[in-house]
Amino acid sequence: METKIREFRQEKGLTQQELADEAGVTRQTINALENARYNPSLLLAFKITKILDKDSIEEVFIIDEGSLE
């Protein structure tokens, strides 16, 4: 799953560690999310979306329609 976490995090001036602290996860988790190596739980996706001041999860997390089949 691709994400726009890095882009939106940098827009807000947050480091990976700062975002991780606010979301209650490790910096490594944020790194894995930014590099599409980890799919978050719905709760984590929601938390990150709110921390990044976005209105919908779909703004931050891009689901590859092919992977849903």
Side-chain angles (χ1 to χ4, degrees):
M1 172 185 306
E2 297 294 319
T3 75
K4 291 189 174 183
I5 293 173
R6 179 178 290 121
E7 175 186 338
F8 295 145
R9 175 180 60 75
Q10 290 173 341
E11 283 177 7
K12 285 191 58 90
L14 294 172
T15 65
Q16 286 183 341
Q17 187 63 59
E18 290 167 335
L19 178 56
D21 290 345
E22 286 192 49
V25 296
T26 65
R27 184 200 57 78
Q28 289 85 353
T29 298
I30 299 301
N31 183 274
L33 287 166
E34 288 184 352
N35 291 294
R37 291 190 318 263
Y38 176 72
N39 290 330
S41 68
L42 184 57
L43 180 58
L44 179 56
F46 182 77
K47 282 182 182 180
I48 290 172
T49 298
K50 291 302 174 193
I51 293 165
L52 296 174
D53 295 324
K54 299 302 171 188
D55 294 324
S56 70
I57 288 174
E58 291 87 353
E59 285 181 82
V60 181
F61 298 89
I62 297 95
I63 298 171
D64 175 10
E65 295 293 327
S67 66
L68 296 176
E69 296 176 358

